[in-house]
Amino acid sequence: MIGIVNYGAGNIFSLTAALARLNVEYGMVNTEADLEKYSHIIIPGVGHAGTAMEKLKHTGLVAAIKALTKPVLGICVGMQLITEHSEEGDAELLSIVPVKTKKFDKSLNIKIPHMGWNAVNPQNNPLFEGVEDNTQFYFVHSYFIEYNPTFDIASAGYGLKFSAAVQKDNFYGVQFHPEKSGKAGEQILKNFSNLSL
Amino acid sequence: MLSKRIIPCLDVKDGRTVKGVNFVDLRDAGDPVELAAQYAQQGADELVFLDITATHERRKTMIEMVKSVARQLNIPFTIGGGITELADAEALLNAGADKISINSAAVRNPKLIEELARAFGVQFVVLAVDTKYVDGKNRVHLNGGRLITELETENWIKQAEDLGAGEILLTSMDHDGTKAGFDCGLLGKINQMINIPIIASGGAGSMEHFTEVFQKANVDAALAASVFHYGEILIPDLKQELKRNHIPVRI
């Protein structure tokens, strides 16, 4: 059963709807004790990374999340939170994955936000089981996670190569929105719910 | 590479979709949920719902519809129509809408764009603009093109970008309903001026028109209503046609 960290950063209706469609059970994580109730944890997030980090700190869950050994999936800003630092609000983040979140540079002749469907090139990783190379996912973001081959499990290109998904130990993150990415996105959620460590 | 998006637009009244929709296998053409699911199945990249309800019950009805759509739909969707304040937008966000589009309310109160962007992020705020060429100028119109404003379209869009609009939905009233093609000239001009995505609307009549607007104006997305609803253009065929013309799409 999946626990969704409920820290007030963005709307989670679409995420819970997607899990319900997949018949994956879920509940909300509001306290440290709640983290124990679930086998898998999702950290959602939309909006400003600095603000989201402040909200997460207010829940008092930061230390407990960093100590988790069960599978954790950060989505969009939730993925950015598991990195070290974001240029958005010059924010220190959870530092679980030693990579940085940077702003897209419009001098690369790209529009910001990066909004829409873009092709993803996954590595051989259980999170992307059954997902073909160049499958498209739905992205909406103005900040990206720098590509680092040690932690990258799927890359994408927008002006430059960036990480569409990362992993370090039991912590996973995806920049795209699996709950909005059609069948491919549902596959990712399904794969995550089946991960065992 | 980022794909060009194809967006069917659905008019909604009292929680029901209006305008003739004649997909053969639809049980209920007025059911927004069934229709949305059908479009997602066909490969639509995104949907826009435009609420044209004029009654006091509109807000409650709309929220219920948005929730039903969000429960079923696995692609993003935008809600437009009747959003005049932060509370309207927040209720739609919490019901599962990915974006909201504002039009008249932003013209009357440009600060609304700024407030919405600050509260929910620029990615949530689509500015819809209806434009018409009058006396040598592109002028912003309200009320579906019936009311002319003082604003010049180019200036208004630039201002909206600065205020925090995350995307522009530009409808050419001169082309809308003509089925003679999108207004590639104006769309291309506006596209050059801004650094946020732009959705072309108004004038789609054939698959070639979509190819043309992506090639000539390099817009990020193209929106249409009747050609999709009446089955004149099927999205899978359109995507194949665009692909043949080397336009990046999601198949």
Side-chain angles (χ1 to χ4, degrees), chain B residues 17-206:
Chain B
T17 40
V18 292
K19 273 192 184 170
V21 174
N22 67 350
F23 291 147
V24 276
D25 39 358
L26 273 187
R27 286 188 308 272
D28 177 1
D31 178 4
V33 178
E34 203 189 340
L35 199 51
Q38 184 92 359
Y39 274 125
Q41 183 87 29
Q42 286 189 17
D45 297 304
E46 215 173 295
L47 296 175
V48 170
F49 292 92
L50 198 59
D51 185 19
I52 55 171
T53 312
T55 62
H56 292 305
E57 292 295 306
R58 69 173 301 157
R59 191 161 156 186
K60 211 173 114 199
T61 317
M62 200 57 186
I63 296 298
E64 284 313 307
M65 191 210 85
V66 171
K67 280 186 182 169
S68 310
V69 170
R71 274 189 205 102
Q72 289 305 320
L73 198 64
N74 58 13
I75 59 170
F77 66 98
T78 302
I79 300 289
I83 297 156
T84 57
E85 52 181 286
L86 239 57
D88 297 327
E90 189 171 20
L92 293 167
L93 174 74
N94 291 334
D98 297 279
K99 308 182 221 178
I100 47 111
S101 100
I102 49 171
N103 188 336
S104 314
V107 169
R108 294 192 182 104
N109 173 23
K111 264 193 159 7
L112 181 63
I113 299 172
E114 205 173 5
E115 289 167 12
L116 287 167
R118 199 181 302 129
F120 310 114
V122 298
Q123 84 292 333
F124 186 61
V125 187
V126 181
L127 179 78
V129 179
D130 293 341
T131 183
K132 206 181 213 171
Y133 194 67
V134 181
D135 297 334
K137 283 179 179 161
N138 294 298
R139 300 275 291 270
V140 176
H141 282 64
L142 303 180
N143 297 357
R146 288 189 295 275
L147 185 67
I148 190 167
T149 71
E150 291 297 316
L151 295 169
E152 278 190 47
T153 303
E154 295 88 336
N155 297 342
W156 171 231
I157 288 175
K158 192 71 204 150
Q159 187 193 348
E161 180 186 21
D162 293 342
L163 286 168
E167 191 166 36
I168 302 295
L169 167 55
L170 184 62
T171 303
S172 163
M173 305 310 297
D174 301 306
H175 288 241
D176 200 33
T178 64
K179 296 201 172 184
F182 293 96
D183 190 347
C184 295
L186 180 62
L187 286 159
K189 181 183 177 193
I190 303 270
N191 199 13
Q192 289 286 319
M193 288 169 25
I194 56 174
N195 197 50
I196 50 176
I198 181 167
I199 305 168
S201 161
S206 69

Side-chain angles (χ1 to χ4, degrees), chain A residues 75-143:
Chain A
I75 297 176
C76 195
V77 170
M79 175 208 203
Q80 298 177 355
L81 289 182
I82 67 173
T83 69
E84 282 180 350
H85 176 271
S86 176
E87 290 181 359
E88 189 171 24
D90 188 21
E92 297 302 322
L93 304 175
L94 293 170
S95 292
I96 292 166
V97 185
V99 290
K100 291 186 166 59
T101 302
K102 299 179 166 181
K103 191 171 188 5
F104 278 121
D105 181 358
K106 63 179 172 186
S107 69
L108 293 171
N109 205 15
I110 50 172
K111 291 187 176 186
I112 301 166
H114 173 222
M115 184 189 283
W117 297 81
N118 204 337
V120 164
N121 306 114
Q123 307 291 329
N124 186 11
N125 187 286
L127 191 65
F128 286 87
E129 181 79 46
V131 176
E132 284 178 29
D133 197 29
N134 280 318
T135 297
Q136 299 195 23
F137 290 87
Y138 186 76
F139 291 85
V140 189
H141 59 127
S142 300
Y143 293 78

